[in-house]
């Protein structure tokens, strides 16, 4: 369902994406150009337009296949669907395995890391914290929360 002026517009099948595209286009054209949500809305709109075009293309292809092969033509989309399910599952499985491998490598590196490397990493973190504290004190001094030179002489 889509939302139009806080009321739900019930939609079915291809009328749903078409309604969403229409509403999004109105929102996009009435939004200020620099509105942050505008780009996300445009991306969502293009996705829905792509879905509708794929549906239309699939319908036309099914018409042509059915005219030539009648009901045996349904084997083609079934084979494509089975292939896509197999392929996506394979890609997802590989992604999970790669993530596990990356975690394993990071754990092994952390174990092999010597005390000097750990100390260097801690010092880097400490330096970053000190830099942030100095910037914060400078900002507080600029806005008048601290007297001048409070950072340098340690008085508050």
């Amino acid at each position: 369902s889509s939302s139009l002026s806080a009321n739900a517009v019930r939609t079915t099948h291809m009328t749903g994406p078409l309604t969403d595209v229409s509403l999004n286009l109105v929102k996009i054209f009435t939004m200020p150009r620099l509105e942050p949500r505008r780009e996300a809305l445009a991306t969502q709109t293009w996705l829905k337009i792509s879905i509708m075009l794929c549906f239309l293309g699939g319908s036309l292809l099914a018409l042509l296949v059915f005219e030539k092969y009648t009901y045996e033509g349904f084997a083609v989309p079934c084979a494509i669907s089975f292939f896509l399910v197999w392929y996506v599952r394979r890609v997802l499985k590989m992604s999970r395995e790669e993530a596990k491998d990356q975690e394993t490598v990071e754990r092994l590196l952390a174990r092999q890391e010597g005390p000097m490397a750990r100390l260097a990493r801690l010092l880097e973190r400490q330096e970053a914290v000190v830099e942030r504290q100095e910037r914060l004190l400078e900002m507080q001094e600029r806005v008048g929360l601290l007297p001048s030179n409070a950072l340098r002489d340690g008085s508050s």
Side-chain angles (χ1 to χ4, degrees):
S1 76
S2 296
S3 175
L4 179 63
S5 67
N7 295 322
V9 178
R10 297 289 170 208
T11 54
T12 58
H13 206 41
M14 290 310 294
T15 59
L18 184 60
T19 303
D20 291 340
V21 165
S22 302
L23 292 172
N24 287 350
L25 286 174
V26 169
K27 289 177 186 176
I28 289 170
F29 289 122
T30 58
M31 265 184 202
R33 284 197 180 276
L34 299 176
E35 177 72 33
R37 295 180 304 147
R38 189 172 188 202
E39 188 175 331
L41 213 55
T43 302
Q44 183 185 50
T45 302
W46 279 114
L47 174 65
K48 293 197 179 189
I49 289 172
S50 300
I51 290 169
M52 290 187 301
L53 290 174
C54 287
F55 180 80
L56 179 64
S59 299
L60 293 174
L61 183 64
L63 173 70
L64 297 173
V65 168
F66 188 78
E67 279 185 344
K68 184 163 180 137
Y69 299 105
T70 64
Y71 289 103
E72 288 89 21
F74 286 121
V76 173
C78 286
I80 292 171
S81 297
F82 282 125
F83 171 76
L84 288 174
V85 167
W86 169 81
Y87 182 75
V88 168
R89 289 186 64 177
R90 182 172 162 244
V91 167
L92 289 175
K93 182 179 179 184
M94 287 175 26
S95 297
R96 281 191 221 112
E97 288 172 357
E98 287 174 5
K100 286 179 185 175
D101 290 345
Q102 182 64 29
E103 289 173 10
T104 304
V105 168
E106 288 173 2
R107 267 190 264 120
L108 288 173
L109 287 175
R111 284 185 200 153
Q112 292 176 354
E113 188 177 68
M116 292 305 289
R118 282 191 214 123
L119 180 61
R121 209 173 59 233
L122 286 172
L123 286 173
E124 287 174 5
R125 288 183 191 159
Q126 181 65 30
E127 287 172 2
V129 168
V130 169
E131 286 176 16
R132 276 186 252 141
Q133 288 174 339
E134 287 174 353
R135 276 184 284 170
L136 180 63
L137 286 171
E138 287 172 7
M139 288 172 41
Q140 288 175 340
E141 186 177 302
R142 267 189 254 136
V143 295
L145 294 175
L146 289 175
S148 294
N149 298 326
L151 178 63
R152 289 167 196 76
D153 61 13
S155 61
S156 49

